[in-house]
Amino acid sequence: MKTVLLKAFSGPALAGLVLSVAPLLFSSALTYLTISNEETVAQFNGWEWLLLTIACCLTSTFALTPPTFLALIFGYFLGWNALLPLFALNMVCILLVNKLVSWFDQDRFLHFIEQNPKAKNVLERIREQELKVIFFTKLSPVLPFAVTNLVFALSGARLNNILLGGFLGMIPRTLIAVWTAKQAKEIRALVEDPNAGNETQLLIGILLLASVVGLFVVLNRALNR
């Protein structure tokens, strides 16, 4: 039994660890490159930003660049014009992660969970509130983007709910990040301490509170039915 459990959870657990650590390492390297080449990046034209967006879409798919971090970088150089590429980047990442998980996992993890009647019953109840759960999870500023994408894909959540909930949940986080970036006078200060301002800290706190309360209410209703 222990061997079966280890096989079932070792893959997702290892993936979750990688998805949590990899962004920190890659973002540090990207921070150094951006600071060192600020003048060059500031002169990028539309095509260069398009290529950068495509590249960041791939790195975000493989959990190397957190979208909120990219929102700070894009927002610093592009201002509110960064919103369109950022939203597109987020949606494409969610889609690619879902397809990759479906391809590699082929619902093996989901089938294992559903072998337990109690776990299956809990999962089915949560699915009744699936869109709300995804929205409040994506709204949280502390839950890693890549990890939540992996969890929702493994749980068998419907793709349209993942995309819609992910889009709606990422809107406030992205707006706050871009707004914060627009206020920054130096890229170094921005990426090293993005939440330095009192207004930003307040907004982040509101998002965190809203996501926690929202998840508690939705999950409580689902599990008590």
Side-chain angles (χ1 to χ4, degrees):
M1 182 65 179
K2 289 183 179 180
T3 303
V4 175
L5 288 173
L6 285 174
K7 289 182 178 179
F9 287 99
S10 59
L14 179 60
L17 178 62
V18 172
L19 294 179
S20 299
V21 175
L24 296 176
L25 299 177
F26 199 85
S27 296
S28 297
L30 186 59
T31 296
Y32 173 78
L33 291 174
T34 304
I35 293 174
S36 302
N37 300 277
E38 180 178 353
E39 293 183 1
T40 301
V41 177
Q43 296 176 0
F44 278 4
N45 58 35
W47 287 107
E48 288 171 319
W49 278 109
L50 176 60
L51 291 175
L52 182 60
T53 301
I54 295 174
C56 290
C57 181
L58 295 176
T59 56
S60 293
T61 298
F62 292 99
L64 297 177
T65 48
T68 302
F69 171 78
L70 293 178
L72 292 172
I73 301 297
F74 277 54
Y76 179 81
F77 291 104
L78 298 178
W80 295 117
N81 292 328
L83 292 178
L84 180 59
L86 287 171
F87 287 143
L89 185 153
N90 289 336
M91 292 302 96
V92 172
C93 287
I94 292 175
L95 178 62
L96 289 177
V97 169
N98 188 273
K99 294 302 181 182
L100 287 172
V101 169
S102 177
W103 183 34
F104 283 107
D105 180 67
Q106 298 181 353
D107 292 332
R108 285 190 292 267
F109 182 75
L110 181 61
H111 290 158
F112 172 80
I113 294 297
E114 291 182 340
Q115 288 178 8
N116 185 313
K118 291 184 179 180
K120 181 179 180 180
N121 183 47
V122 169
L123 191 60
E124 288 177 349
R125 291 185 181 183
I126 292 177
R127 281 176 179 164
E128 295 176 1
Q129 304 292 326
E130 188 175 81
L131 180 59
K132 294 179 181 178
V133 171
I134 294 171
F135 167 74
F136 284 115
T137 300
K138 287 296 185 181
L139 187 66
S140 173
V142 298
L143 294 178
F145 177 80
V147 173
T148 55
N149 287 343
L150 176 65
V151 170
F152 290 134
L154 286 171
S155 69
R158 291 185 292 274
L159 180 58
N160 61 328
N161 282 340
I162 298 176
L163 290 171
L164 179 58
F167 175 73
L168 295 177
M170 288 297 292
I171 287 177
R173 295 171 59 177
T174 304
L175 289 175
I176 291 175
V178 172
W179 177 79
T180 300
K182 279 176 56 62
Q183 312 305 311
K185 297 180 179 180
E186 295 181 356
I187 186 67
R188 179 185 294 275
L190 173 65
V191 295
E192 290 182 352
D193 192 7
N195 300 324
N198 293 331
E199 297 88 351
T200 302
Q201 293 179 2
L202 176 61
L203 292 172
I204 294 296
I206 292 174
L207 285 188
L208 180 59
L209 179 62
S211 64
V212 171
V213 173
L215 279 174
F216 176 80
V217 172
V218 171
L219 292 176
N220 188 55
R221 288 178 179 176
L223 297 178
N224 289 329
R225 286 188 176 185

